Amino acid sequence: MVHPVLQSLGNAERGAGVPVVLLTGVDRLNLDAVAFSLADSCPSVCSIAYDVRPNAAIESGLDIIRTVARSRADGLMFGESESFGLEECCMSCTVKHDVGRVLKTICSASAMGVGVG
């Protein structure tokens, strides 16, 4: 059953390859609630979340933390996080380029029938 709030899920399922639903916003609680509802409605979902934290040790002063969460065979979700410095011109460009690389990895692994990790 698709959660009634997730009306865009049907649009994502129409495409070829790995379906993608983009969630944006600044309220972390609402984003997490929608991501949870999506995972509950579509157990094969893989979510990619980005957070920003200060890091005085790098030139930009910001670290980007990417968390990729996927479902396991037992139905539970698990996530892997990685942090990297904001090195491009802005947050939008950094996320845009990184999510492109992550999606390529997910698509390649999905095509080969292996988990992404």
Side-chain angles (χ1 to χ4, degrees):
M1 177 177 122
V2 174
H3 192 280
V5 175
L6 302 173
Q7 298 169 0
S8 65
L9 180 60
N11 294 331
E13 290 175 335
R14 283 194 264 276
V18 176
V20 174
V21 176
L22 175 64
L23 305 175
T24 62
V26 294
D27 184 351
R28 191 72 211 172
L29 182 59
N30 285 332
L31 286 174
D32 287 345
V34 172
F36 177 78
S37 293
L38 180 61
D40 188 47
S41 300
C42 185
S44 63
V45 73
C46 173
S47 71
I48 306 167
Y50 291 90
D51 286 315
V52 181
R53 296 200 181 117
N55 181 351
I58 62 173
E59 185 178 342
S60 68
L62 296 173
D63 262 348
I64 310 299
I65 297 86
R66 176 194 343 107
T67 303
V68 178
R70 317 184 278 288
S71 58
R72 299 186 319 198
D74 59 10
L76 298 174
M77 294 290 287
F78 72 99
E80 298 169 347
S81 292
E82 181 179 340
S83 68
F84 51 94
L86 175 68
E87 300 299 334
E88 297 194 37
C89 62
C90 65
M91 177 70 182
S92 295
C93 289
T94 300
V95 170
K96 176 178 69 173
H97 294 139
D98 185 70
V99 80
R101 288 186 291 269
V102 172
L103 288 173
K104 278 184 184 178
T105 302
I106 291 170
C107 288
S108 296
S110 178
M112 294 186 324
V114 296
V116 180

